[in-house]
């Protein structure tokens, strides 16, 4: 083990308003304690809130992480080996796994102008909006009309994953349902249900709030509803770690299996935030691309001219199962989950650490948990949101862990489907597994090169010296693949997949 010392930002946060005749009021907080306030005179007339986190003071943090994984030992016990026996999704490309991945392989963009609500006055008017979604055969009509889309996506993706694993109602009725759990998280929860409830309160009073306001808003309801519909009585809850949510769920689900608390876990993420509050909120964070004239070119990971991420939505769910259970019921095994890890940057609400320590330590810990050496990894499904700070922080962290990246293919699924927030890791885990099973890795689109040499693009960040699979799919036999997801609050998560070998 080696100690890494670094100097991160202090926890001081600067809040304020600008504009107006009174200028700006600035207040510095350490945690929730006011330590300094200042009145700043300004001639501006536009008032807006802003949040920043200056770094005038730094403190040393020591992180003990292994720099290499010597003599890795993968799990051998069939009770603790975790395999993938089913997958289900709802995406901008529909709800069929093969169609979803074929669209990715073709380099097709699912980004378009928003028409679900009137976004004409919004500074961002496009997203990876799902259209023509159908829950027929999965949710009864009465409940379908009441449910927030977040839970509709969850139920359809979850039930499709169970079907894919040959775990329909008839099969489940013959099994011990107390050993089958559900862990589907979300970053935002039932945002439409919440916004509608608040609107009813403000406009009509509390007596007009629907009794479904609280149940359909809270983040645990996706896992609960899926269990209620299927009778699954094992571990059941949700995790909400912003855009890292789904990977956190996979990691926790696998641990339930390895501890013997469950034989099977239905795990993943769901999100439906392409609505006024969701889009408006991320605009306020100044996180979104504003390429309204070229929405399909807006998500461009690692490009020098990237200007923020593109919102997406959907759900991605895996059936994670002990090898012993899968063999006992004769299940088809799609791939193997080798391990994972979660860490925290302990740095800033929205920005990643520039030194990438939180990410690099998370990757190293995931490989240790998986019993994999860095040299075995030859595919990275990157978080790659197309943000200025995030893209480079991730690349630099990857380069710290993998000294030789010549054999690695690294791509960005979000360049085509947008950022699914809490669902992102679920959709990208499926893309990672499909890369393993098909032998093809999908491209990262919106990377325009001016020479045959892959690193000669005038717009690619110079630090990006890994093959990003620009614009066209590539044949690539994946030995071990990792999928990265990082979220607001400094939440880091990495999961490791590989082809199944008996």
């Amino acid at each position: 083990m080696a100690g890494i010392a670094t100097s991160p930002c202090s926890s001081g946060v600067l809040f304020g308003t600008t504009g107006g005749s009174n200028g700006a009021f600035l207040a510095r907080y350490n945690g929730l304690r006011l330590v300094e306030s200042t009145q700043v005179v300004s001639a501006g007339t536009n008032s807006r809130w802003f949040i920043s986190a200056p770094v005038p003071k730094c403190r040393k943090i020591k992180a003990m992480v292994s720099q290499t994984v010597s003599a890795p030992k993968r799990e051998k016990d069939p009770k603790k080996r975790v395999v993938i026996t089913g997958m289900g999704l709802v995406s901008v490309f529909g709800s069929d796994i093969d169609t979803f991945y074929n669209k990715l392989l073709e380099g097709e963009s699912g980004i378009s102008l928003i028409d679900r609500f009137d976004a004409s006055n919004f500074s961002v008017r496009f997203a990876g909006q799902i259209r023509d979604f159908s829950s027929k055969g999965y949710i009864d009509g009465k409940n379908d009309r009441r449910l927030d889309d977040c839970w509709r996506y969850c139920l359809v993706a979850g039930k499709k994953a169970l079907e894919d694993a040959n775990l329909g109602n008839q099969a489940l009725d013959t099994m011990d349902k107390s050993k089958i759990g559900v862990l589907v998280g979300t970053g935002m929860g039932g945002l439409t249900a919440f916004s509608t409830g608040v609107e009813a309160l403000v406009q009509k009073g509390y007596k007009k709030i629907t009794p479904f306001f609280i149940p359909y808003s809270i983040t645990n309801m996706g896992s609960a509803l899926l269990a209620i519909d299927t009778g699954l009585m094992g571990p059941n809850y949700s995790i909400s770690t912003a855009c890292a949510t789904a990977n956190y769920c996979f990691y926790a689900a696998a641990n339930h299996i390895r501890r013997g608390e469950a034989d099977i876990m239905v795990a993943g993420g769901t999100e439906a935030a392409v609505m006024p509050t969701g889009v408006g909120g991320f605009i306020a964070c100044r996180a979104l691309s504003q390429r309204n004239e070229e929405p399909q070119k807006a998500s461009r990971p690692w490009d020098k001219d990237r200007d923020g991420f593109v919102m997406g939505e959907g759900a991605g769910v895996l059936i994670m199962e002990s090898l012993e259970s899968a063999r006992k019921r004769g299940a088809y095994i799609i791939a193997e989950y080798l391990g994972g890890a979660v860490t925290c940057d302990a740095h800033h609400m929205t920005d990643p650490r520039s030194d990438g320590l939180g990410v690099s330590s998370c990757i190293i810990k995931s490989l240790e948990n998986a019993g994999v050496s860095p040299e075995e990894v030859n595919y990275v499904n990157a978080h790659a949101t197309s943000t200025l700070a995030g893209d480079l922080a991730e690349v630099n962290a990857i380069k710290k862990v993998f000294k030789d990246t010549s054999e690695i293919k690294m791509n960005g699924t979000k360049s085509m489907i947008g950022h699914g927030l809490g669902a992102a890791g679920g959709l990208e885990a499926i893309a990672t597994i499909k890369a393993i099973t098909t032998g093809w890795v999908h491209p990262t689109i919106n990377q325009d090169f001016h020479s045959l040499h892959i690193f000669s693009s005038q717009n690619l960040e110079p630090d990006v010296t890994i093959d990003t699979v620009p614009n066209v799919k590539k044949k690539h036999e994946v030995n071990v693949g990792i999928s990265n997801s990082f979220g607001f609050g400094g939440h880091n998560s990495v999961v490791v997949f590989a082809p199944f070998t008996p």
Side-chain angles (χ1 to χ4, degrees), residues 149-159 184 222-223 226 270 315 317:
D149 279 347
C150 189
W151 314 135
R152 296 172 76 218
Y153 297 163
C154 171
L155 288 172
V156 171
K159 291 180 180 181
V184 181
S223 293
L226 189 51
T270 184
V317 176

Side-chain angles (χ1 to χ4, degrees), residues 59-79:
R59 56 190 173 85
K60 295 239 178 174
I61 289 181
K62 282 189 176 181
M64 301 301 292
V65 295
S66 295
Q67 294 304 296
T68 60
V69 180
S70 59
K73 295 180 180 180
R74 298 191 190 182
E75 184 61 65
K76 301 295 185 183
D77 186 346
K79 292 182 179 180

Side-chain angles (χ1 to χ4, degrees), residues 16-25 39-50:
T17 58
T18 63
S21 59
N22 293 326
F25 173 77
Q39 183 79 23
V40 180
V41 178
S42 171
T45 57
N46 294 324
S47 178
R48 66 175 184 269
W49 282 97
F50 64 93

Side-chain angles (χ1 to χ4, degrees), residues 4-44:
I4 298 177
T6 185
S7 299
C9 297
S10 71
S11 60
V13 180
L14 189 67
F15 291 84
T17 58
T18 63
S21 59
N22 293 326
F25 173 77
L26 305 180
R28 188 183 305 282
Y29 288 80
N30 184 4
L32 296 177
R33 182 171 61 88
L34 179 65
V35 295
E36 180 183 358
S37 63
T38 308
Q39 183 79 23
V40 180
V41 178
S42 171

Side-chain angles (χ1 to χ4, degrees), residues 251-275:
Y251 178 66
N255 288 338
H256 282 297
I257 294 171
R258 288 174 169 170
R259 290 193 298 262
E261 297 162 355
D263 295 329
I264 300 171
M265 291 293 296
V266 184
T270 184
E271 206 76 86
V274 181
M275 40 81 68

Side-chain angles (χ1 to χ4, degrees), residues 5 34 137 162 202 258 263 282 293 311 319 340 353 446 450 469:
L34 179 65
L162 287 166
V202 172
R258 288 174 169 170
D263 295 329
F282 279 107
E293 304 306 316
M311 284 190 67
I319 304 302
R353 294 176 61 103
N446 298 323
H450 303 284
V469 196

